[in-house]
Amino acid sequence: MTVADLAPAEGFPLAVQQEFLCLWDKGDDMGPFGPRFHIVDGWRVSGRIDTALLQAALDDVVVRHEALRTTVVRDAEPRHQRILAPAPVPLEVRELPATDPADEEARHLAGEELLNELAADTIGVRRMPLLRAVLGRFDDEDAVLALIAHHTAVDAWSMQVILRDLAVLYARHAGADLPPLAPAPQYREYAHWQRSDEAREAERSARAFWRTRLDGARVLALPTDRTRSEAPEFSTAWHRFGWGTRLREQVTTLAAGTRSSTFIVLLAAFNVFLNRQTGDTDVVVPTFTPGRTQARFQDAVGSFFNFLPLRTDLTDCVTFHDVLARTRESCLDAYTREIPLAHVLDEAPELMARVGVDGLASCVFQVIQTPFTMAGERIGPLAYQAVRRKVLSQSVGSDIPDGTLLCLEISPTGELIGELGFSSNLYDEDTVRRLVADFRDVLSELVADPGAPLPAPPISPQPRTRSDDR
């Protein structure tokens, strides 16, 4: 008997995150249930891959993690999630361009091109399972394994869990002497926990914090090149870049010397950058978080990710050290009181007012710090290396919320790398390139001499919209 057979007739309640996605529902063609609201991740795999065993392991992953075969029923009252019976994962095998095995850069770029092609493709939210796989082979011992999953079923953390479990399941199918995986926690259990007395008690105290913390706050918004009314057809492009190892060394050294994380140092620099762009000293930057505040769900697959507004007051900050201290305090206060964004907005209903203005859009900041990332681990007969460094931009890719999303990350080779996703109906690529280059200049300046006096910001307290110029 399957979990689907045991489900109540009305299905299982939605998690708060799923309810929030439903508020932005634009149907199956756009928005959070659209075909490009997906995640595409890739791994270089060393060793001879038996595709029949890979198919069996992929199918086992779908049996193991219910979220990959769960549909959100949006046209019923109440909305709910329904877990369906397992189905085979579509697996496509491709032969990648022949390259010299010694030419690692050529093979890396070929793998990147495959991932970009898949990110420009679609995955329907109604076709189960919500997972696809493509195996691109250079030769019998070297391949790229790409996984594509709908974002309503997974988040970035989940993708690493899926690959970790897939590697163990494949190894066991191949005869490796590995213990079986422990039972996986399920996403429906998380939705149930959110309705528990434990969760509600924590939520009550956190709501009081956010009500005070965000009093009068407005999330940052930057001017767009075109208004939504001028270009309503939504699309997302990605600009990718690398900033090398020197800047990463300066950032990590400063983080260690100030009892901060890399994220705090980079966010503090971004706060200064935004202050110079807008003149605002009250800077509210939204960031994505894993949303897994309960350790019991760290091995679960599902859409746990959360959206956290980080408010920092830069008034009277004289040096970058001052900004860093304020930013660190803001982050510690916020992360220890994290609740779903939907609950935060209940306490601060005007928080997102600016991003709804035609001619302004949100700018989300994120530093990727995903656990379980494979970095050359051998599991059974195969070794896995996550494809993290990307240098190829793309004009069509995975969708993001309306606006821009700046992601930074330290690659396994120690480089500071990044990508900026942007609504290409609102922004020109030249604007995006300039924003990235300008932020790099500010970051380089600040980490090189964090004790130097900060220059005065512009006089204008908020960027003008296009309508202001008419």
Side-chain angles (χ1 to χ4, degrees):
M1 184 174 288
T2 68
V3 172
D5 295 325
L6 296 172
E10 68 277 13
F12 294 103
L14 296 182
V16 176
Q17 285 88 336
Q18 291 173 311
E19 290 278 14
F20 190 68
L21 290 178
C22 288
L23 295 179
W24 301 95
D25 184 7
K26 298 180 180 178
D28 291 354
D29 295 328
M30 288 182 64
F33 295 94
R36 286 199 180 92
F37 190 60
H38 53 34
I39 297 182
V40 178
D41 274 348
W43 295 264
R44 284 287 289 279
V45 184
S46 301
R48 189 177 294 270
I49 299 174
D50 184 318
T51 55
L53 298 186
L54 178 59
Q55 181 71 66
L58 285 164
D59 294 346
D60 286 349
V61 165
V62 171
V63 173
R64 176 174 171 78
H65 294 291
E66 297 170 359
L68 298 174
R69 48 191 168 90
T70 295
T71 185
V72 176
V73 181
R74 295 167 273 155
D75 56 356
E77 187 58 46
R79 292 185 289 251
H80 56 276
Q81 54 181 317
R82 182 165 292 283
I83 301 165
L84 305 179
V89 175
L91 170 62
E92 178 185 356
V93 179
R94 299 188 188 184
E95 301 303 321
L96 295 179
T99 55
D100 184 344
D103 191 348
E104 175 54 33
E105 186 62 20
R107 292 199 166 188
H108 177 86
L109 290 175
E112 253 198 86
E113 288 172 350
L114 172 63
L115 295 178
N116 278 5
E117 177 188 341
L118 296 175
D121 203 351
T122 61
I123 180 168
V125 75
R126 295 186 185 273
R127 182 175 180 180
M128 298 291 142
L130 297 172
L131 177 69
R132 291 172 46 207
V134 174
L135 181 67
R137 297 191 295 202
F138 294 110
D139 54 49
D140 289 341
E141 297 286 334
D142 189 6
V144 175
L145 175 61
L147 298 179
I148 309 97
H150 203 276
H151 211 340
T152 56
V154 303
D155 50 21
W157 185 305
S158 297
M159 295 295 278
Q160 306 306 318
V161 172
I162 290 171
L163 190 279
R164 184 195 61 183
D165 289 356
L166 177 65
V168 172
L169 292 165
Y170 179 94
R172 284 177 56 81
H173 278 294
D177 185 17
L178 294 176
L181 293 167
Q186 301 299 335
Y187 191 67
R188 60 183 169 85
E189 298 169 351
Y190 171 67
H192 177 73
W193 172 81
Q194 287 185 321
R195 290 161 173 79
S196 68
D197 291 341
E198 175 192 5
R200 285 171 173 165
E201 180 58 36
E203 178 193 324
R204 274 192 289 270
S205 60
R207 279 178 177 265
F209 164 79
W210 289 110
R211 186 163 53 249
T212 302
R213 180 68 174 174
L214 297 177
D215 183 29
R218 300 290 184 274
V219 158
L220 163 86
L222 292 178
T224 59
D225 292 319
R226 287 170 294 281
T227 62
R228 294 178 190 85
S229 54
E230 290 175 305
E233 188 172 337
F234 183 83
S235 60
T236 301
W238 290 85
H239 168 62
R240 298 190 170 100
F241 53 91
W243 288 345
T245 59
R246 172 62 179 157
L247 191 51
R248 188 272 306 165
E249 290 169 356
Q250 291 177 305
V251 168
T252 53
T253 298
L254 182 58
T258 56
R259 296 185 302 135
S260 303
S261 64
T262 300
F263 172 82
I264 291 174
V265 172
L266 292 170
L267 175 62
F270 195 59
N271 284 335
V272 174
F273 169 72
L274 295 172
N275 171 246
R276 294 184 185 180
Q277 291 282 310
T278 67
D280 280 359
T281 55
D282 182 6
V283 182
V284 185
V285 178
T287 190
F288 285 115
T289 71
R292 297 171 191 247
T293 55
Q294 295 293 303
R296 74 190 85 172
F297 298 116
Q298 291 197 355
D299 292 325
V301 167
S303 187
F304 289 85
F305 72 94
N306 195 20
F307 202 62
L308 202 63
L310 301 173
R311 186 181 194 181
T312 306
D313 181 8
L314 304 187
T315 305
D316 300 326
C317 286
V318 177
T319 69
F320 185 52
H321 276 307
D322 297 333
V323 176
L324 191 51
R326 297 264 182 97
T327 303
R328 182 175 181 271
E329 181 180 7
S330 297
C331 289
L332 293 177
D333 285 346
Y335 277 96
T336 54
R337 297 171 176 87
E338 181 179 353
I339 56 176
L341 177 64
H343 294 162
V344 172
L345 292 180
D346 287 342
E347 306 305 321
E350 297 301 316
L351 180 67
M352 308 300 290
R354 284 182 180 173
V355 301
V357 175
D358 204 9
L360 295 175
S362 64
C363 183
V364 182
F365 180 84
Q366 184 177 21
V367 175
I368 306 295
Q369 301 176 83
T370 306
F372 318 130
T373 302
M374 295 287 193
E377 290 94 332
R378 177 168 289 278
I379 301 177
L382 304 176
Y384 301 82
Q385 176 73 48
V387 179
R388 303 306 305 171
R389 181 179 68 87
K390 297 180 181 179
V391 297
L392 301 178
S393 299
Q394 59 186 126
S395 58
V396 177
S398 299
D399 280 345
I400 63 168
D402 186 57
T404 58
L405 169 60
L406 176 60
C407 302
L408 298 174
E409 180 178 2
I410 296 176
S411 75
T413 58
E415 299 172 272
L416 185 57
I417 59 176
E419 56 185 1
L420 195 151
F422 61 100
S423 299
S424 52
N425 56 314
L426 302 181
Y427 289 97
D428 295 326
E429 187 174 354
D430 287 346
T431 300
V432 168
R433 288 179 177 274
R434 187 165 56 251
L435 187 150
V436 169
D438 290 349
F439 176 51
R440 185 191 188 284
D441 291 344
V442 171
L443 175 63
S444 300
E445 167 203 325
L446 295 173
V447 298
D449 191 2
L454 297 171
I459 295 175
S460 173
Q462 170 65 25
R464 296 183 300 171
T465 66
R466 287 168 59 92
S467 60
D468 293 330
D469 292 327
R470 294 192 180 102

